Amino acid sequence: MAGRLDGKIAMITGGGSGIGAATARLFCREGARVALVDIDRKKVEEEAAQLSHEILSSRILPIMADVSSREQTNEAVSRAVAEFGGLDVLVNNAALREYFPLAEAPEESWQRIIATNILGVANCCQAAIPALRRAGVASIVNLSSVFGVVGRKGMGQYDATKAAILGLTRALAAEEAEHGVRVNAVCPGSTLTPFTLGRAKARGMTENELRVKGFAPSLLNRWAT
């Protein structure tokens, strides 16, 4: 049975765990060839190996890259295109978090989070667009957040960057429509990933307690169904 992404080539950032890894798993099951990018070499190589073991037909290229570096994003896209022959889909998922109240956030924390969460998306888009245009019909999917729309206490820097992603997505969609590149954002709610579970356990909370607080279904079971 043909998959919905048969013959497509995708690059997914932040692919070493969580939403990025789950997205890669789904793409592989639907027939895509996937360049999996993460700043953590060990994580991305382990995730790629796990996917190859689970989905025998998958073709996965693990790439270690820091999306805040334009040089490294250019190299990541070049490697993906050289390996697979083109690029049809870019998923911008890589992000980091800061937990300062806005009134107390150090300048360095703003520089870190903007470099990854906003400039990282811009870098990957700029690097990938020539290959995506050549595909004729292509897609960019940017990971924003429901909290980029509503905001909350304690993660204002993260939420502000996710709001910026929405503006960037709208502008880029207007620019790239004539070139056949669709640009969309998705806004997940609270999602139980290894990262959020690890932070919760450090505070003495269990997975069940997190679920009670309204987290979405866990990704820890690796999209088993």
Side-chain angles (χ1 to χ4, degrees):
M1 185 182 221
R4 291 176 292 174
L5 296 175
D6 275 357
K8 299 298 184 182
I9 301 160
M11 188 169 93
I12 302 170
T13 70
S17 64
I19 290 174
T23 302
R25 181 165 285 100
L26 180 61
F27 276 34
C28 287
R29 284 180 174 165
E30 292 293 340
R33 289 166 283 172
V34 175
L36 200 58
V37 180
D38 201 279
I39 195 171
D40 188 320
R41 184 187 301 276
K42 183 172 184 289
K43 276 188 177 181
V44 75
E45 290 180 349
E46 288 178 349
E47 186 61 36
Q50 180 66 32
L51 284 171
S52 296
H53 176 74
E54 289 179 17
I55 307 166
L56 297 180
S57 61
S58 62
R59 288 187 60 190
I60 306 160
L61 174 67
I63 300 173
M64 190 280 286
D66 179 353
V67 297
S68 70
S69 164
R70 181 166 293 186
E71 180 181 359
Q72 291 187 39
T73 53
N74 287 342
E75 176 62 23
V77 170
S78 294
R79 286 188 60 192
V81 171
E83 177 73 17
F84 296 131
L87 190 64
D88 301 287
V89 182
L90 169 66
V91 179
N92 284 308
N93 171 70
L96 58 81
R97 297 163 177 80
E98 299 284 357
Y99 298 94
F100 298 100
L102 290 174
E104 301 170 12
E107 180 181 357
E108 295 80 7
S109 66
W110 277 111
Q111 291 171 341
R112 283 193 301 269
I113 201 165
I114 288 171
T116 295
N117 296 14
I118 301 177
L119 296 181
V121 172
N123 288 341
C124 289
C125 288
Q126 192 168 52
I129 279 172
L132 294 172
R133 288 177 177 178
R134 288 195 297 271
V137 177
S139 178
I140 296 173
V141 181
N142 295 326
L143 270 289
S144 178
S145 168
V146 294
F147 298 109
V149 179
V150 299
R152 59 190 154 169
K153 288 175 60 177
M155 288 186 67
Q157 292 168 286
Y158 178 84
D159 297 348
T161 65
K162 291 301 181 178
I165 295 288
L166 296 176
L168 185 154
T169 299
R170 294 185 189 102
L172 191 60
E175 292 179 356
E176 289 303 312
E178 65 188 87
H179 301 290
V181 181
R182 301 186 311 276
V183 188
N184 294 281
V186 294
C187 296
S190 298
T191 306
L192 190 58
T193 66
F195 177 85
T196 54
L197 183 58
R199 277 185 56 83
K201 285 183 175 178
R203 300 195 303 271
M205 295 178 67
T206 67
E207 181 174 340
N208 285 337
E209 287 172 323
L210 284 176
R211 289 180 182 278
V212 168
K213 288 181 178 292
F215 274 83
S218 176
L219 294 179
L220 299 174
N221 58 13
R222 294 181 171 274
W223 293 68
T225 59

